[in-house]
């Protein structure tokens, strides 16, 4: 009994199949341990995709153990499927060990792939065109007889259809007639344009009306999302991709980039209700497991997807958000941000200052002074984009400076004293005669509330040594610094034409286990630049803790 | 006299406008120094794009200085253009200082943008619909009267056309009637689908037949390339994007990802003949200047674009390359590779080794050993791409090692002695009590041919100090080093998650006035990494001089 056959264009829900654990694993640098795979299955189930294509048990025996464990998970939304080829040429389905392993995986669904392109059949597979059709039909029938939902992936479908449309269509008809529940048309090489995809889908829909058609695209031409969207508009109601987008070569369609377009713009649900706003977080979870970053420019869920820089854009959004944003970022769990830079204007600065001190509005003299200072600092190589901690300190110092300028001189003591002052430091990198390795050590002397403290540390390099020494010196006075650690460190040479005398910009990301913040430092001396960024990092932590206490009381 | 008005669909060449230095600069984390911008202009000119949109002189005074310098460059293929808005509301064009700055930039072309979306006109710009049209028309006329090629960017065109098609079309007609040479339709929010783009382009072509229409897309939905391709198919013959793809939010269309599709698949030339195969290298050059990486999954030119992992794919390709590749990678200067397979690796290495020592063929044991060493070093963070000098030294050392292994022990003295050995060094960065500035100094002790020499130097920072000391110590023995200077210095933190203890990779470019070479060093200690790169730089110079002499005699 075929599984839910309807006319595609009347079906109002799009089924999602995520192949992170199979096609995604074919991406360069991607590999999953057993525990990684279980974690990915959980995340995908939480998102609510219909199918999780979780491996190829025939080609990777470790996958059978995974399927055994995965089968015990209580999944709320998703069903698992195993992936493999048609039966081999020249043998019966029931005698093919790879097909047997698909059954052994014991999943509700099975995806099997076959050839649609006559060139592949004769030159790569090296069988006759008729034998290929038999291989497809017999595999579909075999899997259906064993009670599986059978999903047939027609590999290279569109290239095959362009080369020999009659043959390509006959291969998918064979799969369908033998019992396949889904016919998925694949642009395996990633070279097709959206209009070809739409034409191909319509041709199949005409040949086999009433079938649930699927689409599987790759990003070799940068058209993966557009091709999948075109296929859905042409009637496909099953879409395959990987959540983050990694996969063979340029990758698969990123489901995180595609699903919001289908749900919000085409208007067809893909996920259970309320799940779309989890996509920002769950994409990051899966990327974390795979040890890759979510690209900042990934549509909808990328870190920069709603980051506005041009002053005019920031101004426009504050007046009317849909004037510069194609969707409301909260629909996908993302949020908008304004980047600080010489291109941005006063509106953007005022927006950020408001979060630090709500009493300051766009016309306050502090805003003009900050705009001026920013332009000056940026000309010297400072950049506060991505350095929210240093930016906040800049703002606070400017507000304090304006306040001080208004106070009569005798009241200057009412202003808060600085947390600490670095009196002196010395950082040494050396490679003594006869030693095999270089070593670094540093001492730092600080002044806190009239008291001196000096501390020393060794390090993997000069910056690491200074970092360690500064922290040791200050933790005596501020024990909360013991919880702070650096989570990222970046160095950029500003205009390398001055070579080793060039200015460097150091960006540091810190965390105390609860929040994260970034700080910056610029100098021709990388030690000095790192010192500036480290000092800001520590001051930011100390100020934030006070602000936190002030809010509570 | 309008500049080259033709019926778009009979024009057989697509004009490319690269806006890396303007729209690209609006990407998060992107900023260009004056020298960076000149370097980008050179790279884009080498690629052969028609227009380089190089800045917004009205919003950024530093840009005028850049345009002054850029105007002196002898460009082979590209023309520069400046970018800015229409005249401000309520004043005349000739009284608008921003328009004046566009003229002061003194470029052959000027791109100005205006509003097509009635919502933007009334809610964001806050003028009447008629005044907006006057602003557009008067600006076009003003710029045309000053002899510019006038390129009009219709911002938010497609959203505006969907909201109020009559008004949107009237805005572009106004620009054209007033003398604009190009009408560029922009999907500024990046939210449109390819079919909307195609429909919009066709509507404009019908309204203003005979106009050169352009397209400018953003990647907020992942459709930037597909939208631009759809626009070209619908008749656009001017395409705007950024080579690497960075830009506001999710970025602009990546021209590196788009141009090959237009040239190879649609069949319309975009670049001068023979230039397409340079696109792989030039994209990397521009990315390097911007201090970003070319994403591995960027279509056509990404590092993984032709990396095949699945065993079946590798097998297929070796049988018939077009069975798994949508184009021949060499057309864009890329090459295929097989992951986790020695076969692909060794061919590439042998290719490079042949240039250093033509007697070494692919099966020579040196090749296998180099392949093994490279994998090892790359796992530790070394990267020889862009470090030709260090790679050549690696090869020479391996060849020498294999030779030495074959010599009887007593003949070991026949091998050339190393040029020098660093016996010891000490680099100090300090900020003494009471001093306002930090200072750095270093001493280095070398051994050359049994003789010791020690030299010291001060520097702008620790690396600069060590560089100076090393050079002083060695120039006594090798006077030719006096001609060598560093022309570029780059630092990249490898995996910042180890923060200040992370490994850094230092890349140095050196020149002796005649040739340039690049060398690399990796360590957790930036001084040590710089030392390695500096040592390679010096050794490379000394070896090259000998090779040069040997060739002459």
């Amino acid at each position: 009994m075929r599984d839910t056959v309807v006319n595609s264009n009347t079906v109002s829900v799009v089924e999602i199949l995520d192949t992170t654990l199979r096609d995604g694993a074919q991406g360069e640098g991607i590999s999953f341990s057993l525990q990684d795979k279980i974690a990915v299955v959980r995340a995908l189930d939480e998102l609510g995709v219909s199918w999780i294509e979780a491996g190829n048990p025939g080609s990777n025996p470790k996958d059978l153990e995974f399927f055994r464990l995965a089968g015990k998970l209580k999944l709320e939304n998703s069903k698992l499927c195993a992936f493999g080829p048609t039966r081999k040429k020249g043998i019966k389905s029931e005698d093919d060990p790879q097909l047997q392993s698909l059954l052994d995986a014991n999943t509700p669904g099975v995806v099997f792939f076959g050839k649609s392109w006559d060139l592949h059949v004769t030159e790569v597979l090296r069988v006759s065109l008729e034998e290929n059709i038999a291989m497809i039909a017999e595999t579909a029938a075999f899997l259906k007889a064993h009670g599986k939902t059978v999903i047939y992936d027609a590999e290279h479908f569109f290239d095959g259809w362009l080369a020999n449309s009659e043959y390509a269509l006959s291969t998918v008809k064979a799969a369908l007639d033998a019992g396949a529940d889904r016919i998925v048309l694949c642009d395996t090489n990633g070279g097709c344009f959206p209009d070809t995809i739409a034409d191909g889908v319509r041709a199949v829909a005409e040949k086999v009306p009433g079938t649930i058609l699927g689409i599987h695209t790759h990003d070799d031409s940068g058209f993966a999302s557009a091709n999948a969207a075109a296929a859905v508009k042409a009637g496909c109601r099953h879409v395959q991709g990987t959540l983050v987008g990694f996969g063979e070569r340029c990758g698969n369609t990123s489901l995180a980039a595609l699903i919001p377009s289908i749900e919000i713009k085409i208007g067809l649900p893909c996920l259970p209700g309320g799940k779309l706003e989890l996509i920002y977080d769950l994409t990051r979870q899966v990327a974390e497991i795979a040890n890759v970053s979510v690209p900042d420019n990934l549509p909808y869920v990328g870190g920069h997807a709603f980051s506005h820089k041009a002053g005019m854009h920031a101004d426009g959004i504050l007046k009317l958000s849909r004037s510069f944003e194609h969707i409301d970022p909260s629909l996908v769990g993302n949020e908008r941000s304004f980047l600080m830079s010489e291109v941005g204007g006063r509106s953007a600065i005022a927006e950020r200052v408001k979060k630090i001190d709500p009493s300051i509005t766009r016309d306050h003299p502090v805003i003009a002074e900050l705009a001026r200072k920013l332009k000056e600092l940026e000309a010297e190589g400072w950049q506060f984009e991505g350095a929210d901690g240093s930016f906040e300190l800049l703002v606070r110092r400017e507000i304090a400076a304006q306040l001080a300028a208004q106070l009569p001189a005798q009241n200057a003591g009412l202003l808060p004293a600085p947390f600490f002052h670095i009196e002196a430091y010395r950082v040494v990198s050396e490679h003594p005669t006869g030693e095999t390795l270089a070593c670094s050590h540093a001492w730092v002397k600080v002044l806190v509330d009239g008291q001196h403290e000096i501390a020393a540390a060794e390090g993997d390099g000069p910056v690491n040594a200074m970092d360690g020494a500064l922290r040791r010196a200050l933790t005596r006075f501020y024990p909360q610094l013991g919880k702070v650690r650096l989570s990222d460190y970046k160095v950029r040479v500003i205009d390398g034409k001055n070579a080793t005398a060039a200015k460097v910009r150091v960006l540091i990301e810190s965390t105390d286990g609860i929040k994260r913040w970034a700080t910056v430092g610029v100098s021709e001396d990388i030690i000095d630049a790192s010192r500036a960024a480290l000092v800001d990092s520590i001051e930011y932590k100390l100020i934030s803790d006070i602000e936190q206490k002030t809010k509570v009381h």
Side-chain angles (χ1 to χ4, degrees), chain A residues 14 66 78 84 230 250 460:
Chain A
V14 173
F66 158 76
S78 314
C250 296
D460 291 305

Side-chain angles (χ1 to χ4, degrees), chain A residues 245-268:
Chain A
F246 50 72
E248 194 94 35
R249 304 181 312 274
C250 296
N252 290 66
T253 303
S254 157
L255 294 172
L258 177 69
I259 290 171
S261 285
I262 300 177
E263 288 212 354
I264 299 170
K265 299 187 184 184
I266 300 179
L268 293 170

Side-chain angles (χ1 to χ4, degrees), chain A residues 522-542:
Chain A
V522 173
S523 171
E524 288 91 359
D525 177 344
I526 192 176
I527 307 296
D528 191 46
S530 303
R531 175 206 53 76
L534 286 169
V535 163
D536 269 9
S537 165
I538 292 167
E539 282 192 13
Y540 181 86
K541 163 67 179 168
L542 298 175

Side-chain angles (χ1 to χ4, degrees), chain A residues 5 111 501:
Chain A
V5 172
V111 181

Side-chain angles (χ1 to χ4, degrees), chain A residues 270-329:
Chain A
C270 303
L271 305 170
K275 291 294 191 178
L276 186 62
E277 62 197 43
L278 303 182
I279 206 166
Y280 177 90
D281 280 338
L282 289 168
T283 304
R284 270 157 183 71
Q285 262 191 53
V286 173
E288 193 64 40
I289 298 165
N291 201 35
V292 300
S293 310
V294 172
D296 283 325
N297 66 345
L298 193 61
Y300 297 106
V301 300
H304 297 172
F306 298 94
S307 290
H308 302 277
K309 188 161 167 177
M312 216 163 293
H313 288 204
D315 184 62
I317 286 166
L318 291 166
K319 282 177 177 153
L320 189 64
S321 66
R322 66 185 173 99
S323 65
F324 276 99
E325 278 174 356
H326 68 123
I327 63 152
D328 175 348

